[in-house]
Amino acid sequence: SGTSLDSMLTGGYDSDFSDDDGEGDSSEKARERKREAEILQKPFEKGRQSKVAHRSLHSCEVDREEARNRRAHLISMNAFERHKKFVGDYILYYGGQMADFRRSAAKDKTDLDMLRENHRFLWRDEDEDDMTWEKEIAKKYYDKLFKEYCIADLSRYKENKFGFRWRTENEVVSGKGQFQCGNKHCGKEEGLKSWEVNFAYVEHGEKRNALVKLRLCPESHLHLIFNI
């Protein structure tokens, strides 16, 4: 018959379910491709068919990016520039004037001011009790002085007033006070003699005295000897 002839011509295979088998193979391949894509997809990669982000999510991302940019801008500034920016922002939002933020310099003190307030001609053990950082600066300066000979200020000898201080390193190197006259206003180098003087002075409201050595020329010695 016609059916057996068709079977013989097609090699004895029936083609009634050929379309269904093809569809099954294609769906199986599709699932296999999907599994391979899932395996090869990296964790940080998004899916190919992503949904449109919500408006709130977009605004949060924009705010986060703006905060990162603001932080990077602040980090790029130095401390003084950040201070000026914060003060300017405060005045802009809350009102006021820049003069309100200027501190008073009436109580400012330099290192020289602290040395004058805390300096001592001679430091004793009891003077080092209750040391403050101002006193420590004065003591550190005192330790750097050379205390073999003194430098004398005899400019007010007619008033019976004298000033004595220890020599600095530069004066020791130049010979001032040992190879030159120890008078602050005299530079003579001939006829120098060594003298020991009992120096009485008032320091921080307390009377003290110390035996000091001087190297003076004859003229400066006369100014000193007739008033002590």
Side-chain angles (χ1 to χ4, degrees):
S1 67
T3 303
S4 59
L5 181 60
D6 293 338
S7 301
M8 293 173 64
L9 292 175
T10 56
Y13 294 100
D14 194 358
S15 61
D16 292 341
F17 301 98
S18 60
D19 294 340
D20 295 340
D21 293 342
E23 289 179 0
D25 293 343
S26 61
S27 60
E28 184 67 26
K29 291 180 179 179
R31 284 193 296 271
E32 186 176 353
R33 286 196 299 269
K34 185 177 180 181
R35 283 196 300 270
E36 291 178 356
E38 291 177 354
I39 293 173
L40 296 175
Q41 184 177 5
K42 297 179 180 179
F44 57 83
E45 291 182 347
K46 296 182 179 179
R48 294 181 180 178
Q49 296 179 353
S50 59
K51 297 180 180 180
V52 178
H54 195 269
R55 183 178 300 175
S56 61
L57 180 62
H58 173 70
S59 61
C60 290
E61 189 65 27
V62 171
D63 294 341
R64 193 178 294 110
E65 182 66 24
E66 184 179 355
R68 282 195 293 264
N69 294 336
R70 191 183 305 113
R71 182 174 180 273
H73 179 62
L74 290 175
I75 291 175
S76 64
M77 296 180 177
N78 57 39
F80 182 65
E81 290 174 347
R82 282 196 296 271
H83 170 73
K84 290 197 298 183
K85 181 184 183 307
F86 292 149
V87 170
D89 293 344
Y90 182 90
I91 293 176
L92 179 64
Y93 295 139
Y94 299 102
Q97 299 178 356
M98 188 64 70
D100 299 335
F101 293 88
R102 290 179 184 151
R103 66 179 186 83
S104 174
K107 297 182 179 180
D108 288 355
K109 294 181 180 180
T110 63
D111 291 348
L112 183 59
D113 295 331
M114 289 183 290
L115 281 176
R116 287 172 175 169
E117 292 178 2
N118 297 277
H119 176 71
R120 294 182 181 274
F121 186 74
L122 287 174
W123 282 79
R124 301 174 181 175
D125 294 337
E126 58 268 21
D127 296 331
E128 299 184 27
D129 296 338
D130 301 327
M131 291 288 285
T132 61
W133 70 275
E134 293 93 342
K135 290 182 179 180
E136 289 178 357
I137 292 177
K139 181 63 167 58
K140 187 176 181 180
Y141 174 77
Y142 171 82
D143 292 337
K144 293 181 179 180
L145 299 176
F146 293 82
K147 306 169 186 68
E148 183 180 2
Y149 295 101
C150 275
I151 300 295
D153 186 355
L154 307 178
S155 59
R156 301 176 65 179
Y157 73 95
K158 293 182 179 180
E159 304 174 24
N160 198 22
K161 294 181 179 180
F162 306 93
F164 293 89
R165 63 173 176 81
W166 303 116
R167 295 187 299 166
T168 62
E169 182 179 1
N170 292 335
E171 290 171 334
V172 172
V173 172
S174 65
K176 179 64 176 176
Q178 183 176 4
F179 305 110
Q180 295 180 9
C181 181
N183 184 356
K184 178 181 178 181
H185 304 286
C186 179
K188 294 181 179 180
E189 299 180 359
E190 297 179 356
L192 302 181
K193 290 185 178 181
S194 297
W195 303 91
E196 284 191 350
V197 179
N198 186 18
F199 177 41
Y201 60 98
V202 178
E203 189 174 66
H204 299 287
E206 180 183 357
K207 291 183 178 181
R208 294 187 175 187
N209 66 293
L211 191 64
V212 298
K213 290 199 299 184
L214 293 169
R215 292 274 291 171
L216 298 175
C217 66
E219 184 178 356
S220 297
H221 171 251
L222 291 176
H223 292 163
L224 180 67
I225 198 65
F226 290 121
N227 291 276
I228 292 184

